[in-house]
């Protein structure tokens, strides 16, 4: 058991050191950029466009699929994992002297990152659903990475929070794609 505790301590220390390195590399222009990019309302025009894009391509059931995926991702993180593990955000950590804060957050706990989970879940589901028809679908992974990095930059999450949130989101996106395939398979559509 002592060996496991040592490994956990080393991972936490590495995570904290990387956080300090990434968080302290800041500039007022980057503050403004990441404050905007991590705020949900900044992306509202994109979300409206995507609502109509998805509705046109795969119908209201596609919109419902994306909304269900985002709800599942968000509630899995905020409603289940965070309260269960209770890892404080860096901005609340007593052992970090100076955290550069940018943007907003809710709650004391940050593991895993809901921003990372939600954006990577969206990127993965979009990637899988539109792989035949949308060449620039990879841009959503760049968007997810920028939003996720912005949470480290803004002092809201450790790198491990973001990495685990991204992995969770990718998994949820893949699972929702499998659900979509199952529901829309020719065998199921003939039954109606």
């Amino acid at each position: 058991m002592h060996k496991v505790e040592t490994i956990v301590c080393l991972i936490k220390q590495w995570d904290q050191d990387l956080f300090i390195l990434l968080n302290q590399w800041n500039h007022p222009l980057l503050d403004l950029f990441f404050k905007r990019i991590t705020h949900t309302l900044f992306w509202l025009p994109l979300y409206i466009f995507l609502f109509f894009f998805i509705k046109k391509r795969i119908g209201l059931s596609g919109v419902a699929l994306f909304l269900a995926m985002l709800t599942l991702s968000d509630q899995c993180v905020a409603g289940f994992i965070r309260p269960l593990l209770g890892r404080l955000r860096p901005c609340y950590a007593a052992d970090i002297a100076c955290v550069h804060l940018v943007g907003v957050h809710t709650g004391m706990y940050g593991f895993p990152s809901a921003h990372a989970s939600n954006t990577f879940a969206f990127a993965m589901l979009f990637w899988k659903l539109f792989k035949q028809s949308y060449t620039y679908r990879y841009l959503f992974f760049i968007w997810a990475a920028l939003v996720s990095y912005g949470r480290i930059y803004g002092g809201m999450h450790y790198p491990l929070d973001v990495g685990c949130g991204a992995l969770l989101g990718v998994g949820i996106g893949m699972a929702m794609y499998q659900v979509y395939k199952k529901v829309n398979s020719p065998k199921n559509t003939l039954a109606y």
Side-chain angles (χ1 to χ4, degrees), residues 48-118:
I48 292 169
F49 168 77
L50 287 171
F51 172 84
F52 289 108
F53 178 86
I54 293 166
K55 182 177 178 266
K56 181 178 180 183
R57 297 292 174 116
I58 54 178
L60 280 176
S61 65
V63 173
L65 176 74
F66 275 89
L67 290 175
M69 181 259 322
L70 289 172
T71 301
L72 175 65
S73 173
D74 198 62
Q75 289 308 303
C76 186
V77 168
F80 179 68
I81 299 174
R82 280 187 188 168
L84 182 67
L85 298 179
R87 184 179 189 200
L88 292 176
R89 293 177 182 273
C91 54
Y92 290 119
D95 55 344
I96 300 178
C98 184
V99 175
H100 179 73
L101 293 173
V102 175
V104 296
H105 68 279
T106 56
M108 292 182 62
Y109 304 129
F111 181 84
S113 166
H115 277 78
S117 179
N118 295 343

Side-chain angles (χ1 to χ4, degrees), residues 156-186:
M156 307 307 166
H157 290 289
Y158 292 102
L160 197 57
D161 300 350
V162 167
C164 290
L167 287 174
L168 178 64
V170 166
I172 289 171
M174 289 291 292
M176 292 303 284
Y177 176 69
Q178 294 304 320
V179 168
Y180 177 81
K181 274 185 18 183
K182 184 85 169 160
V183 168
N184 291 300
S185 71

Side-chain angles (χ1 to χ4, degrees), residues 37 43 46 49-50 119-120 122-124 126-127 134-147:
I37 205 168
W43 296 102
L46 175 65
F49 168 77
L50 287 171
T119 55
F120 275 95
F122 183 93
M124 179 51 73
F126 195 90
W127 174 270
Y134 189 62
T135 307
Y136 301 106
R137 66 194 186 282
Y138 66 88
L139 292 174
F140 286 108
F141 284 104
I142 295 171
W143 163 66
L146 277 172
V147 168

Side-chain angles (χ1 to χ4, degrees), residues 18-38 90 98-103 145-159 162:
L18 184 57
F19 166 77
I20 291 168
L21 176 73
L22 295 172
N23 179 255
Q24 296 305 311
W25 186 73
N26 54 64
H27 186 274
L29 288 176
L30 288 173
D31 288 359
L32 183 61
F33 175 75
F34 283 114
K35 184 176 183 180
R36 297 281 187 261
I37 205 168
T38 60
C98 184
V99 175
H100 179 73
L101 293 173
V102 175
L146 277 172
V147 168
S148 297
Y149 175 73
R151 302 303 284 173
I152 298 168
Y153 179 91
M156 307 307 166
H157 290 289
Y158 292 102
V162 167

